[in-house]
Amino acid sequence: MGSMDDLEWTGTTSHAGDIMASTNNNGPGTRRLTNVASVAATPAAVSTRTLPTYGMPGDDRYMGPGQYSSEEYSRIGGSPPKAASDRTTAYNVNTGVITSEKPGDMPPAHETIEDVEITRTRRIWSTITWALTWWIPSPFLSLCGRMKRPDVRMAWREKVAICFIIFFIWCILLFVIIGLGLILCPREYVWTMDEVSGHNSEKDAYIAMRGHVYDVTQYLNQKHGVSSFVASKDLMVMYAGLDVNASFPVAIRTACSGLVSQKADPNYSMYLNVADVTALQTFPYTHKVGTMPSSKELSDQGFYVKYVLPTLNLFKKGDVVWDYDWVNSMHKDQGKYWRIINKEVYNLEDYFATIEYPGNTDSKWRFLSNHIENIFDDKGAGTTDITKDWDRIQWSPSEHQANYNCMKNLFYVGKVDDRQSVRCLFTNYMLLAFACVLMTIVLVKFVTALQFGAKNRPITPSKFVICQVPCYTEDEASLVKTIDSLAALEYDDKHRLMFIICDGNIVGSGNDRSTPRIVLDILGVDPDYDPPGRDYLAIAEGSRRHNIGKVYSGLYEFEGHVVPFM
């Protein structure tokens, strides 16, 4: 068989090979032909300035639907095509058209020269293709990819472009499913007090203190206390899963150095009263400065800053979070001093318990700004989120910073939990909506497939069906499997037709023959049988509408089935 490069031709063609078969009388399980079979199609050539190469056998420029040997051309009354060296070739990238002419050639009388306009869609697609594959040089494809023809290279680029587009769409979907959620709601290492309370064992011990969560599981194994008071491991486990603020109070002067002077508290002995009395009874010991003279650490006035915080920061896991509705209930329903400022939750219960204590008549106990007292002590009439009220306070930057630092050190209990907000649940809602749509489609299809009433006895099929098999570059094993499976269908052999189309005289990767030739051999077509070419019009533009094909028909036998095919 001659190669495509040995033919003199112009235009973009998609040859369809012939499908033929031969007779053999083997038993069931073999293939047999009684009469002949197949369809082959070759679009006629067309270009921006080219000669359509369709014609009839006998024309010097005739190119039929396949590739033929010299003997085959002699049999059909024509002559073999001339070598490519006798012609000049031009290629239009936008249209995918190759123009090949021999010097001095003139078109036969029945041929015309046609200019086909490049469509806007084709220009756009060509631009997209080159934008995605410009980095692959054409010489590389010619040398390493063995793609000598420009139209083949362009077709390869288009396939690569389609792969890139599919990959980009996949990336977008992956971003929507995973990345969008992380952008809208970045991952936070936060715990509610209910979650902290679940870590209350010797092998899994968490504590919460002033709005932060600490994993002290390994810390329990260390030596604690002094010789006169040893903190055993069992005693330490009592703290697991709890808020330990009451056991580690902070001197007001330490926490609010900008608001409480040395004169007001020279010995760091000012501590807040604990409003929750049960919290004091929960812990066996309260770590106040000076309560244990034998302890060097507890005798240091900077005990909390020098020892407590640096040690616990080694085991820090994240922040405590509170549900907004719960905080709002504490404010509105129970009259507690829980408020939210810039998504930070503050609890001033101990502050108001301290200033309202009968023994604390000195003004030094009212160390916070009166603006803050007025905002918090609203008798439940104000809002739980007091961010706007906080921003409206008229004070100097230094006074603002001093009060904020004091509140953060003494009264901060965590942040607002926004993990259940619409922003964080948006992607979940979106995926749920997609899942509901898919489930609805499946349900509708399921319901429509249900049979209500008595099941009818199946009747012998009487309708004629066509089983169409398009072939392009498949290997022989795939084609055999397809054709045999269609032949073995449980349907009346007389009421079905296998319609096999070879779209192009193409040699697929790994094949030693063209696809039409493989199908011919599968069907056992007699190589000497050569039906005439048939002209027909295809869905295309200009002269490309004109195509030539060969039609064969016959019977194919497989496992007792004798099926007509075309």
Side-chain angles (χ1 to χ4, degrees), residues 123-145:
R123 289 195 188 96
I124 295 175
W125 172 240
S126 298
T127 302
I128 295 174
T129 299
W130 278 102
L132 294 175
T133 62
W134 61 268
W135 50 275
I136 308 176
S138 295
F140 174 80
L141 297 179
S142 298
L143 296 176
C144 300

Side-chain angles (χ1 to χ4, degrees), residues 469-488:
V469 184
C471 307
Y472 190 57
T473 59
E474 293 79 8
D475 58 14
E476 184 171 0
S478 299
L479 294 170
V480 169
K481 184 177 180 180
T482 301
I483 296 174
D484 287 351
S485 64
L486 291 178

Side-chain angles (χ1 to χ4, degrees), residues 188 190 320-325 327 339-346 384-385 412-419 423:
E188 296 179 294
V190 294
V320 179
V321 289
W322 303 88
D323 182 70
Y324 178 86
D325 292 336
V327 177
R339 301 292 188 276
I340 299 172
I341 302 175
N342 293 319
K343 295 188 177 182
E344 295 179 343
V345 181
Y346 295 92
T384 302
D385 189 340
Y412 175 75
V413 292
K415 301 187 298 184
V416 176
D417 188 1
D418 58 359
R419 291 176 295 177
R423 174 172 58 87

Side-chain angles (χ1 to χ4, degrees), residues 74-368:
S74 299
R75 186 172 63 256
I76 63 176
S79 59
K82 297 177 175 57
S85 58
D86 295 333
R87 64 180 185 270
T88 59
T89 302
Y91 176 66
N92 187 318
V93 173
N94 291 322
T95 60
V97 171
I98 296 180
T99 303
S100 176
E101 295 181 352
K102 186 172 65 177
D105 258 359
M106 293 298 291
H110 69 278
E111 293 181 335
T112 58
I113 298 177
E114 179 183 15
D115 291 325
V116 178
E117 181 183 1
I118 302 173
T119 63
R120 183 170 178 269
T121 303
R122 177 63 188 175
R123 289 195 188 96
I124 295 175
W125 172 240
S126 298
T127 302
I128 295 174
T129 299
W130 278 102
L132 294 175
T133 62
W134 61 268
W135 50 275
I136 308 176
S138 295
F140 174 80
L141 297 179
S142 298
L143 296 176
C144 300
R146 299 180 181 180
M147 303 177 194
K148 305 300 182 183
R149 285 169 30 196
D151 62 325
V152 175
R153 292 196 295 270
M154 187 62 184
W156 186 88
R157 289 182 183 277
E158 290 176 352
K159 293 178 181 179
V160 173
I162 292 174
C163 291
F164 273 120
I165 292 173
I166 294 173
F167 175 76
F168 292 151
I169 294 175
W170 179 82
C171 289
I172 292 173
L173 291 177
L174 192 63
F175 169 76
V176 170
I177 295 173
I178 300 178
L180 184 60
L182 295 177
I183 292 177
L184 295 177
C185 186
R187 183 176 180 182
E188 296 179 294
Y189 295 93
V190 294
W191 285 263
T192 64
M193 284 307 302
D194 289 338
E195 292 170 340
V196 172
S197 64
H199 301 268
N200 57 0
S201 66
E202 180 180 329
K203 296 183 178 180
D204 183 21
Y206 281 22
I207 62 171
M209 188 174 72
R210 292 181 175 82
H212 303 293
V213 179
Y214 305 93
D215 181 1
V216 295
T217 306
Q218 302 301 323
Y219 185 67
L220 299 181
N221 298 321
Q222 308 303 315
K223 182 181 178 181
H224 305 285
V226 294
S227 58
S228 59
F229 187 88
V230 177
S232 65
K233 190 172 185 179
D234 293 338
L235 195 61
M236 295 287 290
V237 171
M238 294 176 60
Y239 288 78
L242 300 175
D243 186 321
V244 299
N245 286 349
S247 183
F248 289 89
V250 185
I252 297 176
R253 182 182 169 189
T254 300
C256 308
S257 57
L259 301 178
V260 178
S261 64
Q262 181 179 2
K263 180 181 179 181
D265 184 22
N267 299 319
Y268 291 87
S269 59
M270 287 178 59
Y271 286 90
L272 292 172
N273 292 352
V274 179
D276 186 2
V277 180
T278 58
L280 288 175
Q281 299 172 351
T282 303
F283 304 107
Y285 189 79
T286 302
H287 302 76
K288 286 185 178 180
V289 175
T291 55
M292 187 177 291
S294 60
S295 171
K296 176 184 176 182
E297 290 83 1
L298 278 174
S299 299
D300 192 332
Q301 294 177 343
F303 167 72
Y304 183 80
V305 176
K306 291 181 181 179
Y307 300 102
V308 178
L309 285 182
T311 301
L312 287 180
N313 284 337
L314 298 175
F315 306 98
K316 186 175 180 180
K317 297 294 293 184
D319 295 305
V320 179
V321 289
W322 303 88
D323 182 70
Y324 178 86
D325 292 336
W326 187 90
V327 177
N328 187 62
S329 176
M330 293 294 289
H331 169 216
K332 296 290 186 179
D333 300 335
Q334 302 186 36
K336 301 294 185 180
Y337 298 101
W338 286 69
R339 301 292 188 276
I340 299 172
I341 302 175
N342 293 319
K343 295 188 177 182
E344 295 179 343
V345 181
Y346 295 92
N347 177 16
L348 269 65
E349 285 291 306
D350 293 349
Y351 177 79
F352 284 95
T354 300
I355 64 176
E356 293 171 359
Y357 183 69
N360 295 335
T361 58
D362 196 313
S363 61
K364 68 180 181 180
W365 295 102
R366 308 183 78 101
F367 50 87
L368 287 178

Side-chain angles (χ1 to χ4, degrees), residues 271-538:
Y271 286 90
L272 292 172
N273 292 352
V274 179
D276 186 2
V277 180
T278 58
L280 288 175
Q281 299 172 351
T282 303
F283 304 107
Y285 189 79
T286 302
H287 302 76
K288 286 185 178 180
V289 175
T291 55
M292 187 177 291
S294 60
S295 171
K296 176 184 176 182
E297 290 83 1
L298 278 174
S299 299
D300 192 332
Q301 294 177 343
F303 167 72
Y304 183 80
V305 176
K306 291 181 181 179
Y307 300 102
V308 178
L309 285 182
T311 301
L312 287 180
N313 284 337
L314 298 175
F315 306 98
K316 186 175 180 180
K317 297 294 293 184
D319 295 305
V320 179
V321 289
W322 303 88
D323 182 70
Y324 178 86
D325 292 336
W326 187 90
V327 177
N328 187 62
S329 176
M330 293 294 289
H331 169 216
K332 296 290 186 179
D333 300 335
Q334 302 186 36
K336 301 294 185 180
Y337 298 101
W338 286 69
R339 301 292 188 276
I340 299 172
I341 302 175
N342 293 319
K343 295 188 177 182
E344 295 179 343
V345 181
Y346 295 92
N347 177 16
L348 269 65
E349 285 291 306
D350 293 349
Y351 177 79
F352 284 95
T354 300
I355 64 176
E356 293 171 359
Y357 183 69
N360 295 335
T361 58
D362 196 313
S363 61
K364 68 180 181 180
W365 295 102
R366 308 183 78 101
F367 50 87
L368 287 178
S369 168
N370 63 331
H371 298 294
I372 297 177
E373 291 186 19
N374 294 334
I375 294 174
F376 274 79
D377 192 15
D378 61 0
K379 310 305 181 185
T383 59
T384 302
D385 189 340
I386 58 173
T387 302
K388 293 182 179 180
D389 298 318
W390 174 271
D391 293 338
R392 281 196 295 262
I393 297 177
Q394 301 295 325
W395 49 15
S396 65
S398 59
E399 184 182 6
H400 172 273
Q401 192 63 44
N403 279 271
Y404 175 76
N405 291 340
C406 179
M407 290 184 61
K408 194 69 181 284
N409 293 332
L410 275 181
F411 309 115
Y412 175 75
V413 292
K415 301 187 298 184
V416 176
D417 188 1
D418 58 359
R419 291 176 295 177
Q420 301 303 316
S421 64
V422 175
R423 174 172 58 87
C424 288
L425 297 179
F426 172 75
T427 53
N428 291 346
Y429 293 148
M430 182 176 61
L431 294 178
L432 179 61
F434 289 158
C436 290
V437 171
L438 293 177
M439 290 301 297
T440 302
I441 295 174
V442 172
L443 181 61
V444 170
K445 289 187 175 182
F446 172 76
V447 172
T448 55
L450 292 177
Q451 284 188 341
F452 299 97
K455 185 176 180 181
N456 296 326
R457 185 176 181 180
I459 60 176
T460 304
S462 59
K463 295 182 178 180
F464 289 88
V465 296
I466 297 177
C467 304
Q468 180 172 299
V469 184
C471 307
Y472 190 57
T473 59
E474 293 79 8
D475 58 14
E476 184 171 0
S478 299
L479 294 170
V480 169
K481 184 177 180 180
T482 301
I483 296 174
D484 287 351
S485 64
L486 291 178
L489 289 176
E490 293 299 329
Y491 200 88
D492 188 0
D493 294 344
K494 297 179 181 179
H495 288 82
R496 57 182 163 133
L497 171 68
M498 289 195 301
F499 193 78
I500 306 173
I501 303 172
C502 285
D503 183 19
N505 205 17
I506 306 298
V507 178
S509 177
N511 294 338
D512 56 356
R513 293 160 294 165
S514 65
T515 302
R517 187 71 258 169
I518 294 175
V519 176
L520 298 176
D521 294 340
I522 292 173
L523 297 175
V525 173
D526 184 358
D528 295 329
Y529 182 81
D530 186 23
R534 306 291 184 180
D535 295 76
Y536 68 94
L537 296 179

Side-chain angles (χ1 to χ4, degrees), residues 4 9-18 39-46 53 63-67 96 149 151 471-473 501-506 516 536 538 540 544 546-550:
M4 186 62 73
W9 63 289
T10 64
T12 302
T13 61
S14 178
H15 299 292
D18 307 331
V39 175
T42 303
V46 69
T53 56
M63 187 180 75
Q67 299 173 353
R149 285 169 30 196
D151 62 325
C471 307
Y472 190 57
T473 59
I501 303 172
C502 285
D503 183 19
N505 205 17
I506 306 298
Y536 68 94
R544 279 181 284 187
H546 182 266
N547 283 253
I548 300 175
K550 290 188 176 183

